[in-house]
Amino acid sequence: MIIFRPCMLFLFVHYLFALNGNSIDNLRKKFVTSGGILYKEGVLPQDDLQTIRTEVDALSSSFSPERSSVASLRTGAVLTSESSTFRIVSDKNGAFHRIVNRIMKSFDDDKEYELSEVVPLEVRRYGSVGSGMAWHKDDVLFDPCQIEIVFTLDNNSNCRTMWKENLPKNQESDDEQTKIYEVETEPNSAIFLQAGGVEHCVSSLKVGERTILKFAFVRRGSQVREDAKAVLGQFMSKNSLG
C-alpha cells in the first residue's frame, strides 16, 4: 500500500490514466511510487554546465547570507531573467523542461510545466562548516503543486541530501513506516521534488563546498494559493533586488 499525500492526488490520477494507456515510462513511475521525488545524474550538456559555472563563479563574491527558517550558514544570490543560467533553465527544448514534463505528463497536452516567473532562480552555497538544512517539506505555493528542482553545480563536500519515503504498512500495525534515503549529489545532477510531499534535509557540512541552483516549474495556468501569497511576496522582493 502506497500512502499518497493530498498534494500527490493530482499526480496520481494522471499516473493511473497513463497506466491505462500503457504510456508510463520509468522516470515517471519512479517519481510517483517514491512519493514525488526523483534524483537524476548527467542532466545538462557539458557546454551548458560550463556556461552556468562561469556565470556563478563571477557572482560568488556578491553572495550574501541566506535568511531561512530551515537552512543554516548558507549563502547565495538571485539570478535574473537576463542571465545565461536563466536562459538554459527555462529553455522549452532544454533538459529541465523535458524531464519535468516527462514525469508530470498529463492527458491535457496544453497544460505543460514551465519555469515559474514568480519563484526566483537562486544559486545557493554550502561553504561554511556547519551549513546544512533541517528536515522539512517545501511550501505548496500553487494549485496544482509546483515541482521544486535542486540542481547540483559542484560538490566536493561531505553533505548528504536525505529524504523519507513511506513504506507499505505492516499488517500487524497501523503505524506508518518510513525509509530514509541519502545521496551525496553529483555535479550535474538534479533532484525533482513535488512541493508539500517528501520530507527532506541536508546534513551538516564538515569539509568541502557544495553549490546548487534552486528553482521551480509550475503547470501552465496554475493558480497561486491564497495561503502562499505572503511567501511569494518575499520572493518578489528578492527579485527586485536582483
Side-chain angles (χ1 to χ4, degrees):
M1 178 181 179
I2 300 172
I3 309 299
F4 288 96
R5 301 170 181 86
C7 199
M8 290 296 295
L9 292 178
F10 172 81
L11 176 61
F12 188 49
V13 167
H14 291 282
Y15 173 75
L16 291 177
F17 182 92
L19 280 180
N20 291 334
N22 298 317
S23 62
I24 195 73
D25 69 25
N26 288 333
L27 273 188
R28 189 174 175 202
K29 182 178 180 180
K30 186 175 181 179
F31 180 76
V32 176
T33 56
S34 67
I37 189 169
L38 173 71
Y39 171 68
K40 183 172 174 56
E41 296 181 354
V43 174
L44 287 178
Q46 285 301 310
D47 56 344
D48 284 348
L49 181 63
Q50 190 54 50
T51 295
I52 296 174
R53 281 175 170 159
T54 300
E55 189 164 61
V56 167
D57 284 346
L59 282 173
S60 60
S61 61
S62 64
F63 284 3
S64 59
E66 183 185 348
R67 291 175 293 180
S68 170
S69 60
V70 294
S72 55
L73 300 177
R74 196 167 65 180
T75 60
V78 172
L79 292 157
T80 69
S81 58
E82 288 77 33
S83 66
S84 296
T85 301
F86 188 95
R87 173 184 55 78
I88 291 169
V89 168
S90 62
D91 184 2
K92 293 188 181 299
N93 295 312
F96 292 111
H97 190 273
R98 186 167 59 250
I99 294 170
V100 170
N101 281 284
R102 268 183 73 183
I103 61 178
M104 299 300 292
K105 183 175 175 60
S106 77
F107 47 79
D108 185 349
D109 291 336
D110 292 333
K111 299 294 185 181
E112 65 180 9
Y113 279 70
E114 56 194 7
L115 183 68
S116 171
E117 297 180 356
V118 178
V119 179
L121 166 59
E122 296 179 288
V123 55
R124 298 173 176 176
R125 178 165 289 165
Y126 298 83
S128 301
V129 173
S131 57
M133 189 170 61
W135 284 102
H136 71 288
K137 295 180 182 180
D138 289 339
D139 292 329
V140 177
L141 306 176
F142 298 88
D143 184 17
C145 309
Q146 77 274 13
I147 301 298
E148 301 275 354
I149 301 173
V150 177
F151 176 71
T152 298
L153 195 56
D154 287 296
N155 186 18
N156 60 5
S157 76
N158 69 300
C159 286
R160 290 168 290 121
T161 299
M162 298 180 282
W163 65 90
K164 298 176 182 179
E165 292 185 18
N166 287 333
L167 298 176
K169 284 188 177 181
N170 190 316
Q171 292 183 351
E172 299 178 357
S173 172
D174 287 333
D175 294 336
E176 187 175 285
Q177 304 295 316
T178 60
K179 180 178 180 179
I180 295 178
Y181 292 83
E182 61 181 59
V183 62
E184 291 185 5
T185 57
E186 292 289 330
N188 198 22
S189 70
I191 294 176
F192 300 83
L193 180 67
Q194 180 95 26
V198 174
E199 192 175 5
H200 56 286
C201 74
V202 176
S203 67
S204 180
L205 183 142
K206 295 180 180 177
V207 295
E209 191 173 82
R210 178 175 181 248
T211 304
I212 64 171
L213 299 179
K214 179 70 182 294
F215 50 98
F217 269 61
V218 295
R219 189 171 183 249
R220 186 181 298 160
S222 61
Q223 300 296 311
V224 175
R225 291 168 55 103
E226 283 295 326
D227 57 1
K229 288 183 177 178
V231 176
L232 288 174
Q234 294 173 4
F235 284 154
M236 293 174 74
S237 295
K238 277 187 181 182
N239 272 334
S240 67
L241 297 174

